[in-house]
Amino acid sequence: MTSRFADGLAVGSDLVVAARNAVGRALSRLSGQADLVCFFICGDDPDDVARAGQAAMELAPGAHVIGCSATGVIGDGQGVELTPAVSAWAATLEGARLTTFALDTLAAEDKFVVVGVPERATDDHVAILLADPYTFPTDAFVERSVDVLGDLPLIGGLANGLQGRGSVRLFADGKVYLEGAIGVLLGGPLQVSTVVSQGCRPIGPSMVVTASEENLLLELAGQPALARLEDIVSDLDEDDRELVAAGLQIGIAMDEYAERHERGDFLIRGVIGIDPEREAVAIGDIVEVGRTVRFQVRDAATADEDLYDVLDAHREQLGRVDGALLFSCNGRGSAMFGTADHDPVALRDTLGPIGVAGFFAAGEVGPVAGHNHVHGFTASVLVFSSTSPA
């Protein structure tokens, strides 16, 4: 059976062979010539990863090809973590306009400037971004992308390697990059959309930030932030207190004018510490006075429910879905669900037997409420459909 979107997966220590097998399987399942190929490689030796990436790029000379190294890959309806493997995804995108790009940073006086950003056309829909977290300022670039790309959605993830810093490899149209970021801009007659599942459940009430200093929350609803947090935790049952101890999160409301703020209405950030002397709570973002926040917890059951809910809602809006790219946090998979297959299985369950591939990322890129962000513990999905969203 052939289609416009297809994936392939190959596991094995010979990464060049695995790359050829994975990409070959994806290409063989397409109904037409590939216009875009994405591949993801998990391997012990960065040089082996580079050779495998070069082999993968040679298999689709007429297509735009991007890829990266990772600590785990997704394809053929399953995830493979910390094991030599290659996943691939191929798409026939008739009439679409594809522009691959490579980003780098240059020092300019007291700041860094990102170079290589592609020119945006009026009918561009989305850009896939794969970045080296050790050498590229992904958070700053993504948060400020509106300055150069307007409201263009960014979707993708932070690459990694099994050897950490220095082992990341990025691939774009025949070239291997040891640092920076690469990606592809998609425009023209396409129906694409994004889904971001943050997988958190609110605890306690929504509260307005009444005093803050950089990433410190000093007051919530007119009371010391730490006192507010202690009151909330004291009212929880034992199970939720364990979730708080395992990793408390906080949600920043994306729509200040909503009457209520429930799950899915927040941008999730981590609570990274407390300052007992100032009765403050430190979080992984800067929140201005006047914003609404709500503490959150995350567990496997909540993350499972959230992913299925957002995918089901998305499917109802889209009609027929043909393919998807999945960027899942490396803290999900077996670490959260007990299986590396959870997220790709969820996509198959909700969106159907479509071509899906991706990787386990060191951070995920995706829009929430129309603004691009870098996330943690999320599943970010780029969905290709045959009909326009309702």
Side-chain angles (χ1 to χ4, degrees):
M1 178 176 167
T2 60
S3 67
R4 294 172 53 234
F5 300 86
D7 61 273
L9 175 71
V11 180
S13 57
D14 190 329
L15 289 179
V16 171
V17 171
R20 289 173 177 158
N21 287 339
V23 175
R25 288 169 187 167
L27 293 174
S28 68
R29 295 167 179 171
L30 282 184
S31 57
Q33 182 176 352
D35 297 302
L36 176 62
V37 174
C38 303
F39 64 88
F40 312 100
I41 305 173
C42 178
D44 296 310
D45 187 333
D47 292 336
D48 288 345
V49 171
R51 284 189 285 269
Q54 289 172 322
M57 290 187 285
E58 292 170 358
L59 291 176
H64 291 276
V65 185
I66 64 170
C68 69
S69 58
T71 57
V73 301
I74 295 168
D76 197 26
Q78 60 186 297
V80 179
E81 300 170 312
L82 306 175
T83 300
V86 180
S87 67
W89 181 88
T92 298
L93 305 171
E94 295 180 4
R97 184 181 61 259
L98 307 177
T99 306
T100 52
F101 58 84
L103 307 180
D104 200 358
T105 53
L106 297 176
E109 297 179 352
D110 59 344
K111 62 182 179 180
F112 287 96
V113 176
V114 174
V115 296
V117 180
E119 293 265 347
R120 184 189 175 185
T122 55
D123 62 343
D124 285 332
H125 304 293
V126 69
I128 302 170
L129 181 70
L130 308 176
D132 176 1
Y134 303 104
T135 64
F136 188 75
T138 314
D139 288 77
F141 175 76
V142 169
E143 294 290 342
R144 298 171 186 170
S145 62
V146 66
D147 296 338
V148 290
L149 295 171
D151 60 354
L152 183 76
L154 299 179
I155 195 86
L158 305 187
N160 210 338
L162 292 179
Q163 303 302 322
R165 180 183 291 273
S167 68
V168 173
R169 297 294 181 266
L170 305 170
F171 307 92
D173 282 358
K175 295 183 179 180
V176 181
Y177 297 86
L178 306 184
E179 58 185 21
I182 58 93
V184 60
L185 186 62
L186 282 67
L190 286 173
Q191 301 296 341
V192 294
S193 52
T194 59
V195 178
V196 176
S197 172
Q198 300 182 88
C200 277
R201 168 167 53 86
I203 57 172
S206 295
M207 296 168 288
V208 175
V209 177
T210 49
S212 65
E213 180 182 303
E214 295 184 343
N215 72 323
L216 284 180
L217 300 179
L218 301 176
E219 287 185 4
L220 296 174
Q223 298 294 323
L226 183 55
R228 286 286 187 184
L229 175 57
E230 290 172 342
D231 287 344
I232 291 169
V233 173
S234 67
D235 289 337
L236 299 177
D237 60 29
E238 185 175 345
D239 289 341
D240 279 351
R241 288 183 188 179
E242 290 181 1
L243 294 178
V244 169
L248 181 64
Q249 313 292 316
I250 193 165
I252 305 167
M254 302 306 294
D255 181 2
E256 290 294 330
Y257 301 102
E259 292 185 5
R260 299 183 62 187
H261 296 102
E262 302 297 339
R263 189 180 69 186
D265 296 331
F266 298 93
L267 173 66
I268 303 300
R269 291 293 185 249
V271 173
I272 59 178
I274 59 173
D275 184 339
E277 290 187 5
R278 304 184 69 182
E279 297 188 86
V281 177
I283 68 172
D285 208 336
I286 295 175
V287 181
E288 299 175 349
V289 170
R291 296 297 298 272
T292 299
V293 298
R294 192 174 182 185
F295 289 107
Q296 314 265 331
V297 292
R298 178 189 281 119
D299 62 356
T302 298
D304 173 82
E305 181 181 355
D306 186 71
L307 181 57
Y308 275 89
D309 283 352
V310 296
L311 289 172
D312 281 335
H314 206 68
R315 176 60 186 267
E316 290 178 4
Q317 294 179 339
L318 290 175
R320 176 180 167 181
V321 174
D322 299 321
L325 284 166
L326 169 61
F327 308 97
S328 183
C329 181
N330 55 20
R332 294 171 68 98
S334 58
M336 177 175 285
F337 301 108
T339 171
D341 303 339
H342 177 273
D343 288 355
V345 167
L347 262 68
R348 290 284 176 93
D349 287 346
T350 54
L351 303 182
I354 60 175
V356 176
F359 71 101
F360 290 99
E364 306 75 59
V365 177
V368 173
H371 297 280
N372 294 315
H373 300 282
V374 178
H375 308 275
F377 290 94
T378 68
S380 292
V381 189
L382 178 61
V383 180
F384 293 78
S385 59
S386 298
T387 55
S388 300

